[in-house]
Amino acid sequence: MRTYTTSAPGHIGESIEVKGWVNSRRDHGGLIFIDIRDHTSVLQLVVHPEAAEAFALAESLRDEFVIKASGKIAERAEELKNPNIATGSVELVVEHLELLNKSEPLPILVNSEQNVSEDMRLRYRYLDLRRPKMQHMLKKRAEYYSCMRSYMEDQEFIEVATPILANSSPEGARDFLIPSRLHPGKFYALPQAPQQFKQLLMVGGIPRYYQLAACFRDEDSRADRLYGEFYQLDLEVAFAESGEEIRSLMEPLIKRLVTDFAGKKLLTEDVPRIPYQEAMDRYGSDKPDLRFGMELVDLSEVLKDSGFGVFRNVLTDGGVVKAICVKGASSLSRSQIDKFTEIAKSEGAGGLAYLTFEAGEVKSPIAKFFSEAELRAIREATGAEDGDVVFFGADKREKVNKVLGRLRSEFAAHFKLKDPNVIALAWVVDFPFYEWDEKNNRLDFGHNPFSMPKGGVEALAAEDKLGIVADQYDMVMNGYEICSGAVRNHNPEVMYKVFAHLGYDEHYVNAKFGAMINAFKFGAPPHAGCAFGVDRMFMELMTEDNIREIVAFPKNGSGFDVMMNSPSVVDDTQLKELSIQSTSE
RNA sequence: GGGCUCGUGGUGUAGAGGCCUAACAUGCCUCCCUGUCACGGAGGAGAUCGCCGGUUCGAAUCCGGUCGGGCCCGCCA
């Protein structure tokens, strides 16, 4: 007898066998129904008292017991068909029933839609994974990986595994360190990304490398950022001399994932290329969500002689006054506006000034500070109509962009402008090579130090270091950064110069990136590449807003695995072997 | 490291100074039930309200601290 899945239980009259879990049991005294569930579906079993042995066992079954049932598939009478389940027109009339394993009463319900706290779900993840939603998620993820692999292979990339035991890298995130037993006092580090290895593969003559690479970073988590480990679709192309080569090479894959894989609509077939500065000025973000407009409008010129002291002072101090027009926001209550004000303050704003346009009038505590002409100009510049509210930001350019950028996203969420079935893609390009580190009052790398400055070594000589642009690009999906890449710096001289601007000498560079610098001296081809954050992209494609939803066994927000209890204490003998002092007493 | 927020039977919630000897749903146990489909019916067990301290005649409820979760800032591509 063949074993069938519950979703395809054979034809009517056929004798079959199914295995699975008891999803629910309905005992009518003289007749027992059992819904058996496997990875495909649910099937109703009917146990009649005539099958005495099976009936006796059926009486003792409980939720999530593991069973094997055999019997004949029967069509249900018309009025007994259940259109709510896939197999609702048939049932298995049980002849034999076997208990494969019992289950204790469950801490969380597998067969119910009842909300369970995330903490509980992670503690009992193996039960959580039995739920159809999680089963679907894991299946889709495998399909997702398969899409990416086949695309990369079609484009003649080859997958190369790079070391997990690597070296600590001074730039970027905190490392996970692995003490070396054979070399006391020395440490491996788990790679934050295979960056250096993939560049060495380029020097090694690999024309096109890719890897679904595990990356490790010891930084605090967020809803869109896993603690500890995550995966990248990491790739690099030898002899690529412009970012556009990489962008046009990878774009079709992402579009295909959006449409064919996720079944969503692309906002635009053409993926816009937006320079970093333009993204900041128009959207107040280097990862703008383009599903909605609500662009930032610069009113500095219009309000330069404003009677509103707060604005005028900011402008004379070299700051800017910008605004966003929120459609229909006049319906917001006072307390709702207070909530947005708090958000603005959390981003560093002093407050949140606004003008409400209603019934041809302007209502606002600050309206009286503006002339008729100014109000008209504001209305014209922002496109405000009756029912809209214009919110202002006045401060240094960077801060205003940050505050209004955040508000833009919050307002869009509040007014439900983020259509979950639409995916807006964009490439943000031309990132600043250096940025000013306010805290330490020094120049620092904007993105990562391995990028080629646009214009090469001549550009580096520029007086204004902050004006140097890197040939660097991010892909943005609905406001999430899903990819970061660059044309790499493959020239040792340029590399030294790049670091020299930050005050690092050749010794430092040799010590930290010796292997790469050395390799570059032996005929390194130009190369460029990028890495997609596959977890985050998958989250958005699956319309989830928490990244732990789409990973089988994630750590919780504080980096703890509540199921496995890791991290955990280890034996002193293990520590001794690793030449580590015990801290237990 | 900081801000906001949550913590009540196994699970999910309600209760917001005395109506609490803590409610509801679900799960669990016992019994009844031959067409249910998250079956139904009757009964029952199960919580010192995260922990410590304070205010009060009286605290699940107010205050302080602490521990844990979530979101955010910092950090991170």
Side-chain angles (χ1 to χ4, degrees), chain A residues 379-397:
Chain A
R379 192 163 189 156
E380 203 166 295
T382 59
E385 299 168 320
D386 276 359
D388 300 348
V389 179
V390 172
F391 291 88
F392 294 91
D395 209 316
K396 284 190 193 136
R397 181 174 297 277

Side-chain angles (χ1 to χ4, degrees), chain A residues 259-279:
Chain A
T259 55
D260 298 359
F261 168 76
K264 298 199 176 198
K265 264 207 333 255
L266 284 162
L267 181 74
T268 53
E269 192 57 37
D270 286 327
V271 179
R273 271 70 171 159
I274 309 174
Y276 169 85
Q277 196 52 54
E278 184 186 331

Side-chain angles (χ1 to χ4, degrees), chain A residues 454-498:
Chain A
K454 264 197 168 171
V457 72
E458 291 99 80
L460 278 178
E463 194 67 32
D464 175 20
K465 301 293 179 244
L466 292 172
I468 300 169
V469 167
D471 203 338
Q472 209 154 31
Y473 37 88
D474 284 1
M475 188 180 235
V476 180
M477 174 185 278
N478 288 359
Y480 289 109
E481 179 201 316
I482 57 156
C483 170
S484 195
V487 176
R488 317 296 177 184
N489 184 347
H490 64 285
N491 180 329
E493 296 316 312
V494 179
M495 192 72 111
Y496 287 132
K497 190 147 273 172
V498 155

Side-chain angles (χ1 to χ4, degrees), chain A residues 326 328-337 340 389 391 411 414-415:
Chain A
V326 184
S330 68
S331 64
L332 289 172
S333 68
R334 184 59 205 255
S335 69
Q336 285 173 318
I337 288 187
F340 288 107
V389 179
F391 291 88
F411 281 123
H414 183 270
F415 288 103

